[in-house]
Amino acid sequence: MFVSNIRIPKCDVRRSPQSPMIDIDPLKSYGFQRVTCSLQKMQTNEKLSVGRMFSVQDSLPKLPVPPLDQTLQKYLRSVRPLLTDDEYANTQKIVEDFKRDPGPKLQTLLEKRAQRETNWLSDWWTNTAYLEFRQPVTVNVSPGVVFPKQSYTDKEGQLRFTAKLISGLLDYKSMIDNQTLPVEKMGKQSLCMMQYYKILCGCRIPGKKRDTWVCYPPDEANPPKHVVIAHNNAFFFLEVYGSNNQPLSIEQIYEQLKNIVNQSMEPDIPVGILTTENRNKWAKAYELLTKDKENKASLQILQRSICVLCIDNKLPESAAGEEDSTAAKMMLHGGGSEYNSANRWCDKTLQFIVGKNGVCGLNYEHTTAEGPPIISIVDHVLDYCSKNENMTTPAPDLKPPKKLNFNITYPELRENLKEAEENIDSLVKDVDLTVFKFTEYGKNFPKSQKLSPDSFIQMAFQLAYFRLYSKPCATYETASLRQFQLGRTDTIRSCSIESLEFSKGMMDPTLSKQKKAELLKKAVTGHKNYVAEAVKGQGIDRHLLGLKLAALQNNMKVPALHMDVAYSLSCHHNVSTSQVPAKYEACLVFGPTVPDGYGVCYNPQEKQILLGVSAFNCCPETESRRFKDSIHQSLMDMKSVLEGSIQSKL
Ligand code: COA
Ligand code: HC5
C-alpha cells in the first residue's frame, strides 16, 4: 500500500479515492505492518531520487489538448466511410453546431484541467476504460499471452520450470526495485516508465459501481516479498526472499512448490472463479466474503502479492493443428470450471500460467499497464529460463508456504460460486479463438517496399473485413501515448476514406496491379500519418471523450455530437486491434470489444507475423477462422500487387 515516504515522481501513481483502508492484522505473523494510505499523502509525494528508470520522467512533456477545430475536421473525415450521404450531411451540421456551442466552452474546461493535472486524461481513462467497466475482466479486458511451448512433460518438469520462471521474474523485479531498468524508447523519444513501476504490485478490487485499484510499490516501508501460487483452485502464500532480502534459489523455490502441490492434491473450493464474474456480482460476493476475518486476510495476501502463479493440472484435448489455439484459451479464460478457470485470481495484475505438457503463458489485468511492459518481462523471463546455468544461491530462513483459507459461511456465497461457474462456462463456450503464424513474410517485405509494416498490416485487416462483408467497419488500433507523463493510449482510426478506396480497388478485377498498388500506398501513407499524429497526442478519440466528460463533470448535458449515429458507429469497433511486438514467438490474444466484432492482436517479427484472432460464437456473422483466412489472403494479395506493379514498371 502507498505510504507517505515513497519516492516517486510527484505526478504519478495515485490511489483511487475509493480504496478501502486496509487492516492487515491477521498477517502480523508474516511481518507485515499495518499500513494505511491516503490519496492526500500520495499527491504530496515529492520527487523520486531518480535512478535510471525514472531519470527523464519529470522532463517528459504533458499530454496536450488538441485544437478543437483540428479534431472536428479529422472526425468528419474519419466517419465519412461509415455513413450514408444523408447521415453524413446531418453529422456535418451537428459538428458545425458543436463548434459554436458547447464545443468552445468544453474545450476551455479541458484546457484548464490540463493545466491543473499532470495528465488530464489518465484518471478519467482509468475509470471509464477499466474501473467502471462492469462486464467480466476475463475475455473482455484481460489479454492472454502464450509463450513458446516448453519441453517439460511431467509434473516435476512443470514445477522446475515454474521455479526458474519465478527466479527470472525476481531478477527482472530487482531492476524495478533498484530503478536500473533502462528508459524505454520509441524511436528517439523516451517513454513514461510508470507502468513498469506498478506491474509487480498492482491489483484490482471489485466495487459495486466502480472497482478500485491498489498497489504496493517496492519502496514502501514493508514491500511485498511473496507470490501467490494457485494449484487445484487453492491459493498459497509463498515468500520468495530470505531474511537477508536475497531471492530464494531455484532449488529452494522448487522444493517449496513441491510442498504446495503435496498439500493440494484434491480440487479446492473454487473461490477464484468469482474473479471471472460480472464486476457488480463479484463486488456483492466480495462484500460477503470479507465479513470473515480469515477470508479478509487471504484476500489481502492475494492483493499484496508480487504476482500469482497458476500451476494448472488440466489441458483440454486439441484437434491436430489446434494446439496453439487451445493454449491461447488457457491463457485467456482457463477453459471454464471443468478446466482451470477457478485456478486464477483475475483481479491480480499479473498471473503467470504454467500448464501441463509445456503449455504456458500469462494473463494480465489491464488497468495497470499496456502490453509492452508486460512483454518486456516475458522476454526477460524467457531469456532467463533458456539459460542452462543456475546463478542462484540459497537464501537463509525459508518460511514454509501457507495455504490461504476461505470460509464460505453464507449460503449466498455458495450460490454465487455456482452462478459464477455457469457464467464462465457460457462465456468460454462463446469465445471463438484462432491463433496463427503467417510465415510467408514479416516486417521485411513492407520495409523492402519502403512502407510502414504496421500500416501495411492494418490495411490487410481493412481488406480482410471488406472481402468478407463488402463494407468497411470502424476499426480500433492502439496508439501509445507514453511519450507523455502518465500516458496510456489513444485510438488510431484505421478505417479511412483511403482504406476504403484501397479495399474496393483490390476487389475490383478490372483494375490493374499498378493502380491497386497506388491505392495501397496511398492508404498506407494515410494510416502512417494518422499514427504519427496520434502518438504525438493529436488523436481524436481521447479528446472527444474528454469533451464529453468535461460536460458531464460540469453538470451539462451530453453534447449532441456524442449522441449522433456517427459517433456511436465510429466507436463500435467491429475490428479491435493492437500491435504488441515480442522477441519470442509469443502469441497474444484478447476478446472482441463488441458482440459482433473481432479482436486481433499481432506480433510482427522480421520474417513472420503471429496473430491472435477472436470473435464470439453467439454472433452468426463473425468467425475467427474465416477472418484469419481472409487476413492471410489479403497479405498475399497485397504482396502480389506490389511485386506485380514493380514488374510492370520494369
Ligand atoms: N520504410 C521502411 N521501413 C519502415 C518504414 C518505411 N516507410 N516505416 C517504418 N519502417 C520501419 C521502422 O523503422 C521500424 O523498424 P524496426 O523494425 O527496425 O524497429 C519498423 O518498420 C516498424 O515501424 P512501423 O511498422 O511503422 O510501426 P511502429 O513501430 O512505428 O509502431 C504503432 C506503430 C502504432 C504500433 C506504435 O506507434 C504504437 O503506438 N505502439 C503501441 C502499441 C501498444 O501499446 N500496444 C499494446 C496495447 S495494450
Ligand atoms: C498482451 C498484449 C495485449 C494488448 C492489449 C491491448 O491492446 O489493449 C488495448 C489497450 C488500449 O488502450 O488500446 C485495448 N484493446 C484490446 C481493445 C485493443
Side-chain angles (χ1 to χ4, degrees):
M1 193 64 55
F2 286 122
V3 288
S4 56
N5 63 345
I6 72 163
R7 294 161 298 121
I8 48 180
K10 58 180 180 285
C11 47
D12 50 32
V13 199
R14 209 172 279 171
R15 285 185 43 81
S16 170
Q18 281 77 20
S19 290
M21 299 279 272
I22 288 188
D23 169 355
I24 54 171
D25 275 357
L27 305 184
K28 281 236 166 95
S29 57
Y30 289 107
F32 292 168
Q33 280 181 348
R34 176 196 292 263
V35 285
T36 54
C37 50
S38 92
L39 181 63
Q40 251 13 60
K41 279 181 185 169
M42 275 309 301
Q43 283 173 328
T44 54
N45 276 329
E46 278 314 315
K47 275 196 195 160
L48 180 67
S49 68
V50 276
R52 217 175 347 147
M53 177 173 159
F54 284 124
S55 55
V56 294
Q57 188 70 18
D58 278 353
S59 58
L60 292 178
K62 282 176 74 169
L63 180 69
V65 177
L68 186 61
D69 279 5
Q70 173 187 299
T71 292
L72 295 177
Q73 217 172 12
K74 284 191 190 176
Y75 172 66
L76 279 175
R77 269 187 72 76
S78 77
V79 298
R80 187 65 194 96
L82 304 172
L83 301 178
T84 62
D85 291 349
D86 284 351
E87 284 168 342
Y88 184 65
N90 191 40
T91 296
Q92 277 180 309
K93 193 178 161 310
I94 288 172
V95 166
E96 276 312 307
D97 289 349
F98 183 81
K99 224 184 250 183
R100 277 189 299 277
D101 183 56
K105 241 183 258 164
L106 299 177
Q107 177 77 358
T108 306
L109 286 168
L110 213 49
E111 284 166 357
K112 285 197 177 136
R113 180 179 165 92
Q115 278 167 12
R116 277 195 316 270
E117 305 273 331
T118 306
N119 183 317
W120 62 264
L121 175 64
S122 57
D123 282 357
W124 274 352
W125 183 245
T126 306
N127 286 335
T128 48
Y130 297 111
L131 300 178
E132 285 164 8
F133 185 75
R134 300 290 81 199
Q135 287 187 50
V137 291
T138 308
V139 177
N140 299 302
V141 178
S142 302
V145 180
V146 189
F147 298 170
K149 196 169 179 195
Q150 302 297 312
S151 57
Y152 64 82
T153 50
D154 60 7
K155 196 81 181 183
E156 184 190 336
Q158 189 181 5
L159 297 188
R160 287 204 181 277
F161 178 74
T162 312
K164 202 160 182 187
L165 191 153
I166 294 174
S167 184
L169 179 72
L170 297 179
D171 191 55
Y172 188 93
K173 186 176 183 303
S174 70
M175 292 191 284
I176 298 177
D177 296 353
N178 309 328
Q179 293 176 18
T180 51
L181 205 61
V183 176
E184 196 185 331
K185 301 227 170 189
M186 199 171 174
K188 285 187 186 147
Q189 185 66 45
S190 300
L191 302 182
C192 172
M193 293 299 284
M194 195 51 68
Q195 295 180 17
Y196 284 87
Y197 183 74
K198 307 182 203 171
I199 305 177
L200 296 178
C201 56
C203 194
R204 192 165 166 151
I205 298 178
K208 278 193 185 147
K209 285 196 175 136
R210 180 196 283 175
D211 289 0
T212 50
W213 181 84
V214 290
C215 162
Y216 305 86
D219 43 3
E220 74 164 54
N222 241 322
K225 297 224 169 81
H226 68 281
V227 297
V228 166
I229 306 290
H231 180 250
N232 251 333
N233 307 342
F235 296 97
F236 290 84
F237 171 99
L238 173 62
E239 191 145 307
V240 284
Y241 293 88
S243 58
N244 60 356
N245 267 342
Q246 192 77 31
L248 304 194
S249 70
I250 297 175
E251 197 56 34
Q252 282 177 318
I253 302 174
Y254 169 69
E255 288 300 326
Q256 300 282 57
L257 294 176
K258 244 176 32 183
N259 180 343
I260 286 171
V261 165
N262 288 337
Q263 285 184 56
S264 50
M265 297 304 278
E266 293 301 320
D268 214 298
I269 316 165
V271 189
I273 208 123
L274 293 170
T275 66
T276 69
E277 256 290 18
N278 165 289
R279 304 304 296 175
N280 286 342
K281 287 187 182 165
W282 172 208
K284 270 187 173 166
Y286 185 88
E287 202 175 79
L288 284 182
L289 210 55
T290 47
K291 289 193 172 163
D292 178 284
K293 218 173 169 188
E294 199 172 23
N295 291 348
K296 204 169 167 182
S298 297
L299 289 166
Q300 283 162 1
I301 289 178
L302 273 154
Q303 289 155 6
R304 274 187 62 98
S305 61
I306 294 167
C307 71
V308 172
L309 285 113
C310 311
I311 300 175
D312 283 357
N313 276 338
K314 295 181 183 166
L315 184 66
E317 289 286 320
S318 307
E322 292 291 310
E323 293 85 354
D324 288 349
S325 298
T326 305
K329 287 175 189 164
M330 292 306 104
M331 305 312 146
L332 190 66
H333 54 54
S337 59
E338 195 191 332
Y339 291 97
N340 305 303
S341 298
N343 202 41
R344 304 277 184 271
W345 198 262
C346 299
D347 290 357
K348 188 66 199 164
T349 297
L350 198 51
Q351 299 189 85
F352 284 96
I353 296 164
V354 185
K356 278 185 72 172
N357 300 336
V359 168
C360 56
L362 63 80
N363 179 281
Y364 86 93
E365 200 289 305
H366 214 316
T367 310
T368 312
E370 261 63 67
I374 305 287
I375 294 303
S376 158
I377 297 190
V378 171
D379 283 345
H380 184 90
V381 164
L382 291 178
D383 274 346
Y384 188 95
C385 288
S386 67
K387 285 183 191 140
N388 283 329
E389 75 269 35
N390 176 359
M391 308 287 279
T392 60
T393 48
D397 307 321
L398 229 64
K399 291 208 178 95
K402 187 179 178 301
K403 182 161 185 274
L404 305 183
N405 289 325
F406 284 101
N407 303 310
I408 307 299
T409 38
Y410 296 90
E412 289 108 295
L413 275 174
R414 287 191 191 285
E415 280 163 33
N416 294 150
L417 286 174
K418 198 165 156 277
E419 209 185 326
E421 285 186 337
E422 286 163 9
N423 288 339
I424 185 66
D425 289 348
S426 60
L427 181 58
V428 163
K429 275 204 195 96
D430 203 12
V431 172
D432 160 23
L433 198 67
T434 302
V435 302
F436 81 111
K437 223 186 270 178
F438 176 81
T439 52
E440 301 292 331
Y441 59 84
K443 290 194 283 185
N444 54 351
F445 175 69
K447 277 185 189 173
S448 72
Q449 299 291 315
K450 302 203 168 18
L451 295 172
S452 149
D454 182 69
S455 300
F456 186 90
I457 295 168
Q458 283 291 326
M459 291 310 107
F461 299 156
Q462 291 303 303
L463 176 55
Y465 192 88
F466 190 84
R467 183 197 312 278
L468 295 183
Y469 300 98
S470 306
K471 61 177 184 188
C473 74
T475 305
Y476 180 108
E477 182 192 356
T478 304
S480 173
L481 289 180
R482 285 183 48 221
Q483 296 189 10
F484 304 98
Q485 287 188 32
L486 303 187
R488 297 290 305 254
T489 64
D490 204 335
T491 308
I492 298 159
R493 293 188 168 209
S494 290
C495 174
S496 63
I497 295 171
E498 295 79 13
S499 76
L500 179 56
E501 287 302 305
F502 153 69
S503 301
K504 280 183 182 164
M506 288 293 285
M507 299 307 288
D508 180 349
T510 66
L511 284 195
S512 67
K513 281 193 168 180
Q514 180 82 36
K515 180 67 191 162
K516 287 178 180 178
E518 271 169 33
L519 291 172
L520 166 56
K521 286 177 188 168
K522 199 166 165 204
V524 166
T525 307
H527 182 270
K528 189 66 199 169
N529 291 340
Y530 197 115
V531 171
E533 289 176 19
V535 298
K536 284 195 203 115
Q538 302 297 320
I540 65 173
D541 282 84
R542 303 300 180 262
H543 187 198
L544 291 172
L545 173 72
L547 293 166
K548 179 175 149 192
L549 293 176
L552 291 176
Q553 250 193 8
N554 289 278
N555 299 320
M556 292 158 70
K557 58 179 196 281
V558 176
L561 182 143
H562 297 86
M563 310 278 269
D564 181 24
V565 64
Y567 189 71
S568 40
L569 262 182
S570 63
C571 294
H572 185 92
H573 301 118
N574 291 93
V575 176
S576 171
T577 75
S578 186
Q579 186 201 128
V580 187
K583 171 175 157 186
Y584 283 90
E585 286 193 5
C587 211
L588 310 115
V589 283
F590 50 71
T593 52
V594 293
D596 56 342
Y598 292 104
V600 185
C601 196
Y602 53 107
N603 170 9
Q605 301 190 323
E606 217 42 42
K607 292 189 181 161
Q608 59 179 8
I609 309 168
L610 284 82
L611 295 105
V613 181
S614 62
F616 288 119
N617 285 316
C618 69
C619 173
E621 282 84 34
T622 56
E623 194 187 331
S624 66
R625 185 168 284 277
R626 270 185 84 213
F627 197 48
K628 167 228 146 182
D629 288 342
S630 189
I631 293 171
H632 184 103
Q633 191 59 51
S634 300
L635 287 166
M636 296 308 287
D637 292 353
M638 286 161 72
K639 180 165 187 271
S640 160
V641 298
L642 287 173
E643 288 176 341
S645 79
I646 294 168
Q647 276 157 17
S648 66
K649 264 189 207 160
L650 292 175

